[in-house]
């Protein structure tokens, strides 16, 4: 008699599927959607205590406040400028409105197109804030960043 091990067919592992370029692109876009939140917070937190940045808001932040920030190690509760506070919070307000709007717009325009639009928005917001020459450009870039964060919150698979 022959052994049963020889009669049974050898167990073959299932064929391994290849990852396509599309799969990698979806993963990268998903990572970028999550990165927009993790990137924006620390950058703005570091920026608002920078004396060079505070000079943009100098007409609304007293000189003594700016000098106090640069001489102290802690700037906790020292930023009492209303425009600076609005600059920080305007993206969060815009993100809340954009998330609500994204619910209907995603159905209308499609998820893929909406994710591409969110990627274009984050790119344009970063370029605009980097090239800003005054408060107006900073605020517009920050508002666009809020739109991106709201759109990405709803559509990007994180």
């Amino acid at each position: 008699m022959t052994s049963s091990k020889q009669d049974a067919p050898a167990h073959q592992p299932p064929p391994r599927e290849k990852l396509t370029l599309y799969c990698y692109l979806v993963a990268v876009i998903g990572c970028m959607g999550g990165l927009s939140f993790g990137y924006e917070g620390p950058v703005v937190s570091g920026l608002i205590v920078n004396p060079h940045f505070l000079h943009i808001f100098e007409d609304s932040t007293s000189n003594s406040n700016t000098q106090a920030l640069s001489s102290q190690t802690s700037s906790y509760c020292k930023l009492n400028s209303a425009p600076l506070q609005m600059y920080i919070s305007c993206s969060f307000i815009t993100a809340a409105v954009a998330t609500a709007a994204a619910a209907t717009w995603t159905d209308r325009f499609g998820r893929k197109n909406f994710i591409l639009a969110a990627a274009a928005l984050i790119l344009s917001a970063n370029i605009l804030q980097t090239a800003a020459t005054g408060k107006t450009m900073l605020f517009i870039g920050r508002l666009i960043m809020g739109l991106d964060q709201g759109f990405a919150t709803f559509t990007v698979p994180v």
Side-chain angles (χ1 to χ4, degrees), residues 37-74:
F37 295 108
Y39 171 77
E40 183 67 15
V43 167
V44 172
S45 295
L47 191 62
I48 62 172
V49 295
N50 185 336
H52 299 293
F53 179 75
L54 290 175
H55 285 295
I56 296 171
F57 294 94
E58 194 168 83
D59 59 322
S60 58
T61 304
S62 68
N63 264 343
S64 62
N65 193 16
T66 306
Q67 290 170 356
L69 276 175
S70 58
S71 65
Q72 294 178 352
T73 56
S74 174

mmCIF file of all heavy atoms in Angstrom, residues 37-74:
data_model
loop_
_atom_site.group_PDB
_atom_site.id
_atom_site.type_symbol
_atom_site.label_atom_id
_atom_site.label_comp_id
_atom_site.label_asym_id
_atom_site.label_seq_id
_atom_site.Cartn_x
_atom_site.Cartn_y
_atom_site.Cartn_z
ATOM 1 N N PHE A 37 -4.149 67.014 8.602
ATOM 2 C CA PHE A 37 -4.477 67.367 9.981
ATOM 3 C C PHE A 37 -3.226 67.349 10.855
ATOM 4 O O PHE A 37 -2.999 68.254 11.639
ATOM 5 C CB PHE A 37 -5.507 66.408 10.560
ATOM 6 C CG PHE A 37 -6.815 66.482 9.868
ATOM 7 C CD1 PHE A 37 -7.239 65.471 9.043
ATOM 8 C CD2 PHE A 37 -7.629 67.585 10.034
ATOM 9 C CE1 PHE A 37 -8.447 65.547 8.397
ATOM 10 C CE2 PHE A 37 -8.844 67.673 9.386
ATOM 11 C CZ PHE A 37 -9.243 66.647 8.576
ATOM 12 N N GLY A 38 -2.446 66.311 10.727
ATOM 13 C CA GLY A 38 -1.253 66.192 11.554
ATOM 14 C C GLY A 38 -0.184 67.203 11.213
ATOM 15 O O GLY A 38 0.652 67.535 12.043
ATOM 16 N N TYR A 39 -0.199 67.715 10.017
ATOM 17 C CA TYR A 39 0.809 68.672 9.566
ATOM 18 C C TYR A 39 0.442 70.092 9.960
ATOM 19 O O TYR A 39 1.287 70.856 10.420
ATOM 20 C CB TYR A 39 0.955 68.562 8.047
ATOM 21 C CG TYR A 39 1.809 69.627 7.422
ATOM 22 C CD1 TYR A 39 3.194 69.571 7.509
ATOM 23 C CD2 TYR A 39 1.237 70.689 6.734
ATOM 24 C CE1 TYR A 39 3.983 70.541 6.943
ATOM 25 C CE2 TYR A 39 2.018 71.662 6.160
ATOM 26 C CZ TYR A 39 3.393 71.585 6.262
ATOM 27 O OH TYR A 39 4.166 72.553 5.696
ATOM 28 N N GLU A 40 -0.800 70.451 9.796
ATOM 29 C CA GLU A 40 -1.227 71.841 9.960
ATOM 30 C C GLU A 40 -1.133 72.320 11.397
ATOM 31 O O GLU A 40 -0.669 73.432 11.660
ATOM 32 C CB GLU A 40 -2.663 71.987 9.451
ATOM 33 C CG GLU A 40 -3.194 73.382 9.490
ATOM 34 C CD GLU A 40 -2.514 74.332 8.531
ATOM 35 O OE1 GLU A 40 -1.799 73.889 7.615
ATOM 36 O OE2 GLU A 40 -2.676 75.542 8.715
ATOM 37 N N GLY A 41 -1.544 71.527 12.358
ATOM 38 C CA GLY A 41 -1.554 71.951 13.756
ATOM 39 C C GLY A 41 -0.190 72.339 14.298
ATOM 40 O O GLY A 41 -0.012 73.461 14.795
ATOM 41 N N PRO A 42 0.809 71.458 14.220
ATOM 42 C CA PRO A 42 2.132 71.826 14.743
ATOM 43 C C PRO A 42 2.786 72.985 14.002
ATOM 44 O O PRO A 42 3.493 73.777 14.613
ATOM 45 C CB PRO A 42 2.962 70.549 14.569
ATOM 46 C CG PRO A 42 1.975 69.458 14.502
ATOM 47 C CD PRO A 42 0.754 70.044 13.858
ATOM 48 N N VAL A 43 2.548 73.107 12.708
ATOM 49 C CA VAL A 43 3.140 74.209 11.963
ATOM 50 C C VAL A 43 2.596 75.539 12.461
ATOM 51 O O VAL A 43 3.341 76.480 12.730
ATOM 52 C CB VAL A 43 2.896 74.045 10.444
ATOM 53 C CG1 VAL A 43 3.231 75.314 9.693
ATOM 54 C CG2 VAL A 43 3.717 72.891 9.911
ATOM 55 N N VAL A 44 1.280 75.639 12.608
ATOM 56 C CA VAL A 44 0.678 76.882 13.073
ATOM 57 C C VAL A 44 1.055 77.145 14.531
ATOM 58 O O VAL A 44 1.317 78.286 14.913
ATOM 59 C CB VAL A 44 -0.852 76.859 12.876
ATOM 60 C CG1 VAL A 44 -1.510 78.050 13.525
ATOM 61 C CG2 VAL A 44 -1.168 76.837 11.401
ATOM 62 N N SER A 45 1.124 76.106 15.344
ATOM 63 C CA SER A 45 1.511 76.281 16.747
ATOM 64 C C SER A 45 2.927 76.853 16.868
ATOM 65 O O SER A 45 3.184 77.708 17.711
ATOM 66 C CB SER A 45 1.440 74.955 17.493
ATOM 67 O OG SER A 45 0.123 74.500 17.541
ATOM 68 N N GLY A 46 3.817 76.384 16.034
ATOM 69 C CA GLY A 46 5.171 76.921 16.051
ATOM 70 C C GLY A 46 5.260 78.301 15.427
ATOM 71 O O GLY A 46 6.072 79.134 15.827
ATOM 72 N N LEU A 47 4.402 78.554 14.487
ATOM 73 C CA LEU A 47 4.436 79.825 13.773
ATOM 74 C C LEU A 47 3.948 80.988 14.623
ATOM 75 O O LEU A 47 4.512 82.077 14.563
ATOM 76 C CB LEU A 47 3.567 79.698 12.512
ATOM 77 C CG LEU A 47 3.635 80.799 11.480
ATOM 78 C CD1 LEU A 47 5.031 80.894 10.914
ATOM 79 C CD2 LEU A 47 2.642 80.508 10.372
ATOM 80 N N ILE A 48 2.937 80.775 15.437
ATOM 81 C CA ILE A 48 2.346 81.899 16.165
ATOM 82 C C ILE A 48 3.196 82.401 17.318
ATOM 83 O O ILE A 48 2.883 83.438 17.899
ATOM 84 C CB ILE A 48 0.928 81.558 16.667
ATOM 85 C CG1 ILE A 48 0.965 80.396 17.646
ATOM 86 C CG2 ILE A 48 -0.007 81.310 15.517
ATOM 87 C CD1 ILE A 48 -0.346 80.121 18.320
ATOM 88 N N VAL A 49 4.254 81.715 17.666
ATOM 89 C CA VAL A 49 5.164 82.227 18.688
ATOM 90 C C VAL A 49 6.458 82.748 18.074
ATOM 91 O O VAL A 49 7.357 83.173 18.790
ATOM 92 C CB VAL A 49 5.468 81.164 19.767
ATOM 93 C CG1 VAL A 49 4.217 80.816 20.529
ATOM 94 C CG2 VAL A 49 6.114 79.939 19.170
ATOM 95 N N ASN A 50 6.540 82.743 16.759
ATOM 96 C CA ASN A 50 7.708 83.242 16.055
ATOM 97 C C ASN A 50 7.624 84.765 15.958
ATOM 98 O O ASN A 50 6.677 85.297 15.389
ATOM 99 C CB ASN A 50 7.757 82.615 14.662
ATOM 100 C CG ASN A 50 8.998 82.982 13.895
ATOM 101 O OD1 ASN A 50 9.631 83.994 14.141
ATOM 102 N ND2 ASN A 50 9.337 82.142 12.934
ATOM 103 N N PRO A 51 8.606 85.503 16.475
ATOM 104 C CA PRO A 51 8.546 86.966 16.447
ATOM 105 C C PRO A 51 8.452 87.543 15.033
ATOM 106 O O PRO A 51 7.805 88.565 14.823
ATOM 107 C CB PRO A 51 9.847 87.400 17.124
ATOM 108 C CG PRO A 51 10.297 86.227 17.913
ATOM 109 C CD PRO A 51 9.771 85.019 17.209
ATOM 110 N N HIS A 52 9.076 86.891 14.061
ATOM 111 C CA HIS A 52 9.003 87.382 12.680
ATOM 112 C C HIS A 52 7.576 87.289 12.142
ATOM 113 O O HIS A 52 7.121 88.160 11.409
ATOM 114 C CB HIS A 52 9.972 86.608 11.780
ATOM 115 C CG HIS A 52 11.394 86.736 12.188
ATOM 116 N ND1 HIS A 52 12.090 87.919 12.103
ATOM 117 C CD2 HIS A 52 12.252 85.829 12.725
ATOM 118 C CE1 HIS A 52 13.326 87.739 12.545
ATOM 119 N NE2 HIS A 52 13.446 86.474 12.928
ATOM 120 N N PHE A 53 6.877 86.232 12.489
ATOM 121 C CA PHE A 53 5.487 86.086 12.074
ATOM 122 C C PHE A 53 4.595 87.081 12.799
ATOM 123 O O PHE A 53 3.663 87.635 12.225
ATOM 124 C CB PHE A 53 5.001 84.657 12.320
ATOM 125 C CG PHE A 53 3.577 84.421 11.947
ATOM 126 C CD1 PHE A 53 3.211 84.302 10.621
ATOM 127 C CD2 PHE A 53 2.589 84.337 12.917
ATOM 128 C CE1 PHE A 53 1.892 84.091 10.267
ATOM 129 C CE2 PHE A 53 1.273 84.120 12.575
ATOM 130 C CZ PHE A 53 0.927 84.006 11.241
ATOM 131 N N LEU A 54 4.864 87.326 14.073
ATOM 132 C CA LEU A 54 4.047 88.252 14.855
ATOM 133 C C LEU A 54 4.132 89.682 14.334
ATOM 134 O O LEU A 54 3.220 90.469 14.543
ATOM 135 C CB LEU A 54 4.434 88.186 16.331
ATOM 136 C CG LEU A 54 4.037 86.904 17.044
ATOM 137 C CD1 LEU A 54 4.575 86.901 18.461
ATOM 138 C CD2 LEU A 54 2.539 86.721 17.035
ATOM 139 N N HIS A 55 5.214 90.018 13.627
ATOM 140 C CA HIS A 55 5.325 91.364 13.062
ATOM 141 C C HIS A 55 4.270 91.614 11.987
ATOM 142 O O HIS A 55 3.900 92.763 11.745
ATOM 143 C CB HIS A 55 6.727 91.608 12.499
ATOM 144 C CG HIS A 55 7.747 91.832 13.569
ATOM 145 N ND1 HIS A 55 7.723 92.919 14.403
ATOM 146 C CD2 HIS A 55 8.804 91.089 13.956
ATOM 147 C CE1 HIS A 55 8.726 92.853 15.253
ATOM 148 N NE2 HIS A 55 9.394 91.738 15.001
ATOM 149 N N ILE A 56 3.761 90.567 11.379
ATOM 150 C CA ILE A 56 2.674 90.728 10.406
ATOM 151 C C ILE A 56 1.431 91.248 11.098
ATOM 152 O O ILE A 56 0.692 92.061 10.567
ATOM 153 C CB ILE A 56 2.390 89.389 9.701
ATOM 154 C CG1 ILE A 56 3.597 88.968 8.885
ATOM 155 C CG2 ILE A 56 1.147 89.489 8.822
ATOM 156 C CD1 ILE A 56 3.503 87.570 8.318
ATOM 157 N N PHE A 57 1.218 90.821 12.331
ATOM 158 C CA PHE A 57 0.059 91.233 13.110
ATOM 159 C C PHE A 57 0.416 92.337 14.102
ATOM 160 O O PHE A 57 -0.286 92.555 15.068
ATOM 161 C CB PHE A 57 -0.516 90.021 13.869
ATOM 162 C CG PHE A 57 -1.075 88.974 12.958
ATOM 163 C CD1 PHE A 57 -0.298 87.910 12.551
ATOM 164 C CD2 PHE A 57 -2.381 89.060 12.513
ATOM 165 C CE1 PHE A 57 -0.810 86.941 11.712
ATOM 166 C CE2 PHE A 57 -2.897 88.095 11.673
ATOM 167 C CZ PHE A 57 -2.111 87.036 11.265
ATOM 168 N N GLU A 58 1.503 93.047 13.840
ATOM 169 C CA GLU A 58 2.016 94.016 14.803
ATOM 170 C C GLU A 58 1.051 95.159 15.100
ATOM 171 O O GLU A 58 0.992 95.647 16.215
ATOM 172 C CB GLU A 58 3.339 94.588 14.312
ATOM 173 C CG GLU A 58 4.101 95.322 15.379
ATOM 174 C CD GLU A 58 5.509 95.606 14.915
ATOM 175 O OE1 GLU A 58 5.698 96.606 14.202
ATOM 176 O OE2 GLU A 58 6.404 94.810 15.251
ATOM 177 N N ASP A 59 0.273 95.595 14.115
ATOM 178 C CA ASP A 59 -0.646 96.692 14.381
ATOM 179 C C ASP A 59 -1.741 96.298 15.367
ATOM 180 O O ASP A 59 -2.321 97.136 16.034
ATOM 181 C CB ASP A 59 -1.269 97.218 13.092
ATOM 182 C CG ASP A 59 -2.031 96.150 12.338
ATOM 183 O OD1 ASP A 59 -1.573 95.001 12.320
ATOM 184 O OD2 ASP A 59 -3.084 96.470 11.759
ATOM 185 N N SER A 60 -2.002 94.993 15.492
ATOM 186 C CA SER A 60 -3.018 94.541 16.437
ATOM 187 C C SER A 60 -2.422 93.868 17.667
ATOM 188 O O SER A 60 -3.104 93.628 18.630
ATOM 189 C CB SER A 60 -3.981 93.570 15.741
ATOM 190 O OG SER A 60 -3.250 92.489 15.236
ATOM 191 N N THR A 61 -1.127 93.570 17.640
ATOM 192 C CA THR A 61 -0.431 93.019 18.798
ATOM 193 C C THR A 61 0.568 94.082 19.243
ATOM 194 O O THR A 61 1.375 94.521 18.451
ATOM 195 C CB THR A 61 0.327 91.726 18.429
ATOM 196 O OG1 THR A 61 -0.597 90.815 17.875
ATOM 197 C CG2 THR A 61 0.999 91.127 19.628
ATOM 198 N N SER A 62 0.508 94.480 20.479
ATOM 199 C CA SER A 62 1.381 95.561 20.939
ATOM 200 C C SER A 62 2.836 95.142 20.838
ATOM 201 O O SER A 62 3.178 93.966 20.908
ATOM 202 C CB SER A 62 1.033 95.942 22.368
ATOM 203 O OG SER A 62 1.369 94.886 23.239
ATOM 204 N N ASN A 63 3.713 96.129 20.672
ATOM 205 C CA ASN A 63 5.148 95.853 20.603
ATOM 206 C C ASN A 63 5.651 95.207 21.873
ATOM 207 O O ASN A 63 6.500 94.344 21.842
ATOM 208 C CB ASN A 63 5.925 97.149 20.358
ATOM 209 C CG ASN A 63 6.228 97.359 18.903
ATOM 210 O OD1 ASN A 63 6.156 96.422 18.123
ATOM 211 N ND2 ASN A 63 6.555 98.580 18.542
ATOM 212 N N SER A 64 5.109 95.626 23.013
ATOM 213 C CA SER A 64 5.554 95.041 24.274
ATOM 214 C C SER A 64 5.188 93.563 24.346
ATOM 215 O O SER A 64 5.929 92.760 24.886
ATOM 216 C CB SER A 64 4.953 95.802 25.461
ATOM 217 O OG SER A 64 3.545 95.704 25.427
ATOM 218 N N ASN A 65 4.032 93.209 23.766
ATOM 219 C CA ASN A 65 3.619 91.805 23.751
ATOM 220 C C ASN A 65 4.568 90.988 22.872
ATOM 221 O O ASN A 65 4.973 89.893 23.221
ATOM 222 C CB ASN A 65 2.180 91.692 23.255
ATOM 223 C CG ASN A 65 1.593 90.324 23.503
ATOM 224 O OD1 ASN A 65 2.106 89.551 24.287
ATOM 225 N ND2 ASN A 65 0.505 90.036 22.824
ATOM 226 N N THR A 66 4.942 91.539 21.714
ATOM 227 C CA THR A 66 5.869 90.845 20.819
ATOM 228 C C THR A 66 7.232 90.685 21.473
ATOM 229 O O THR A 66 7.844 89.629 21.395
ATOM 230 C CB THR A 66 5.996 91.617 19.491
ATOM 231 O OG1 THR A 66 4.704 91.806 18.946
ATOM 232 C CG2 THR A 66 6.861 90.870 18.507
ATOM 233 N N GLN A 67 7.718 91.732 22.143
ATOM 234 C CA GLN A 67 9.007 91.646 22.815
ATOM 235 C C GLN A 67 8.953 90.679 23.996
ATOM 236 O O GLN A 67 9.901 89.963 24.256
ATOM 237 C CB GLN A 67 9.437 93.031 23.275
ATOM 238 C CG GLN A 67 9.802 93.943 22.124
ATOM 239 C CD GLN A 67 9.989 95.382 22.575
ATOM 240 O OE1 GLN A 67 9.783 95.720 23.728
ATOM 241 N NE2 GLN A 67 10.389 96.232 21.638
ATOM 242 N N ALA A 68 7.827 90.676 24.703
ATOM 243 C CA ALA A 68 7.685 89.761 25.832
ATOM 244 C C ALA A 68 7.723 88.316 25.361
ATOM 245 O O ALA A 68 8.295 87.451 26.029
ATOM 246 C CB ALA A 68 6.394 90.034 26.581
ATOM 247 N N LEU A 69 7.117 88.055 24.191
ATOM 248 C CA LEU A 69 7.128 86.691 23.665
ATOM 249 C C LEU A 69 8.529 86.250 23.307
ATOM 250 O O LEU A 69 8.908 85.107 23.535
ATOM 251 C CB LEU A 69 6.233 86.595 22.423
ATOM 252 C CG LEU A 69 4.766 86.379 22.673
ATOM 253 C CD1 LEU A 69 4.018 86.419 21.356
ATOM 254 C CD2 LEU A 69 4.530 85.071 23.363
ATOM 255 N N SER A 70 9.319 87.154 22.742
ATOM 256 C CA SER A 70 10.649 86.743 22.319
ATOM 257 C C SER A 70 11.608 86.615 23.498
ATOM 258 O O SER A 70 12.604 85.920 23.408
ATOM 259 C CB SER A 70 11.201 87.717 21.281
ATOM 260 O OG SER A 70 11.231 89.017 21.828
ATOM 261 N N SER A 71 11.309 87.271 24.641
ATOM 262 C CA SER A 71 12.212 87.182 25.773
ATOM 263 C C SER A 71 11.828 86.079 26.758
ATOM 264 O O SER A 71 12.647 85.667 27.557
ATOM 265 C CB SER A 71 12.270 88.528 26.504
ATOM 266 O OG SER A 71 11.006 88.817 27.069
ATOM 267 N N GLN A 72 10.588 85.613 26.734
ATOM 268 C CA GLN A 72 10.151 84.588 27.673
ATOM 269 C C GLN A 72 10.286 83.199 27.065
ATOM 270 O O GLN A 72 10.261 83.046 25.850
ATOM 271 C CB GLN A 72 8.696 84.806 28.078
ATOM 272 C CG GLN A 72 8.489 86.069 28.879
ATOM 273 C CD GLN A 72 7.018 86.250 29.216
ATOM 274 O OE1 GLN A 72 6.175 85.518 28.728
ATOM 275 N NE2 GLN A 72 6.726 87.234 30.039
ATOM 276 N N THR A 73 10.399 82.219 27.937
ATOM 277 C CA THR A 73 10.464 80.847 27.435
ATOM 278 C C THR A 73 9.075 80.300 27.178
ATOM 279 O O THR A 73 8.894 79.446 26.335
ATOM 280 C CB THR A 73 11.191 79.930 28.433
ATOM 281 O OG1 THR A 73 10.534 80.012 29.684
ATOM 282 C CG2 THR A 73 12.636 80.344 28.576
ATOM 283 N N SER A 74 8.065 80.797 27.899
ATOM 284 C CA SER A 74 6.708 80.316 27.721
ATOM 285 C C SER A 74 5.824 81.452 27.222
ATOM 286 O O SER A 74 5.847 82.553 27.762
ATOM 287 C CB SER A 74 6.148 79.792 29.046
ATOM 288 O OG SER A 74 4.792 79.463 28.885
#
